[in-house]
Amino acid sequence: MKKILLPLLLILAVGMLAAVESEPSEVVGYFKKTINAGSIQTFTLPFAYNSFSVNDIIGDQFAEDDFIMDINLGISTTYYSGYGWFGDLTDLEYGNAYYANRAISNGQNTYFLLGKVDPQPFTKTIMGNGSCTAFGLNEARPINIIGAESPFGILPSEDDFVVEIDTGASTTYYEGYGWFGDLEVITPTYGYYYKSAIGSNSFVWTYTPSRSSFNKQDISDSKVKK
């Protein structure tokens, strides 16, 4: 996979720039992420895929004993040279947030997330009563937390807050005002915690991207299915 990445990325570069500013299409794109030795970094899926296998999406871009973990479920998969990924985590999902853990002996690593630029909807249960639920948006562009584009709608309760896991930037919800804090956008490929207020109830959150092909045709007719 590494041998074909460079020429493929050169082809995708122009397409990615065009795709994030246009209507959903068959255009593909990529995001480049860098993780240091002995560190943990979040990632989420920014694109649409026909296969959700870790081996198909991540491939052999990691090294011996690196592992990926679903933050909410705690299940993981480890990379073994000459074999690939092995563990309870076999498939990635839209809306889920993951930890990528780089073994300290493996040095800095640059890896790429590639796919079709056609953001897909997902449904997630946001746990209540002070719990944290990890998430990410299946989007290839930043999404504003405040205003008409806000992915949370009217669901939040007083003192709910969202924090970007890697940087610690956060925003809190105040009834009658809205979201306030130094976190203003949800960034593609980054993982977040939605922390509910003490005493609040769990709720089901469905996020449907405004620019998804799902808004243009029946779900059963979509070219990309989960």
Side-chain angles (χ1 to χ4, degrees), residues 6-26:
L6 182 57
L8 178 58
L9 292 175
L10 291 175
I11 295 172
L12 294 179
V14 175
M16 179 61 188
L17 293 174
V20 296
E21 297 298 335
S22 62
E23 291 299 312
S25 67
E26 295 297 327

Side-chain angles (χ1 to χ4, degrees), residues 74-153:
I75 59 175
S76 64
T77 183
T78 302
Y79 187 82
Y80 300 101
S81 299
Y83 178 84
W85 296 95
F86 180 79
D88 296 331
L89 178 62
T90 58
D91 295 301
L92 306 179
E93 296 184 35
Y94 300 137
N96 284 11
Y98 302 92
Y99 281 134
N101 189 313
R102 182 71 169 170
I104 196 167
S105 60
N106 289 336
Q108 188 182 74
N109 182 42
T110 296
Y111 65 102
F112 297 87
L113 297 172
L114 305 89
K116 184 170 71 171
V117 182
D118 183 11
Q120 302 297 293
F122 61 85
T123 296
K124 183 173 292 297
T125 297
I126 302 297
M127 303 305 295
N129 199 29
S131 298
C132 288
T133 304
F135 75 94
L137 298 186
N138 183 242
E139 291 277 11
R141 64 187 181 98
I143 300 297
N144 294 319
I145 293 175
I146 301 171
E149 191 178 51
S150 176
F152 306 115

Side-chain angles (χ1 to χ4, degrees), residues 26 36-37 64 66 75 91 97 102 107 146 157 197 202 215 225:
E26 295 297 327
N36 293 322
E64 190 78 12
D66 289 350
I75 59 175
D91 295 301
R102 182 71 169 170
I146 301 171
S157 300
S202 300
N215 289 327
K225 297 182 180 179

Side-chain angles (χ1 to χ4, degrees), residues 30-52:
Y30 74 92
F31 282 95
K32 174 183 176 181
K33 295 180 73 73
T34 300
I35 182 170
N36 293 322
S39 67
I40 297 174
Q41 179 187 82
T42 65
F43 77 90
T44 61
L45 299 182
F47 301 121
Y49 301 90
N50 292 317
S51 168
F52 294 88

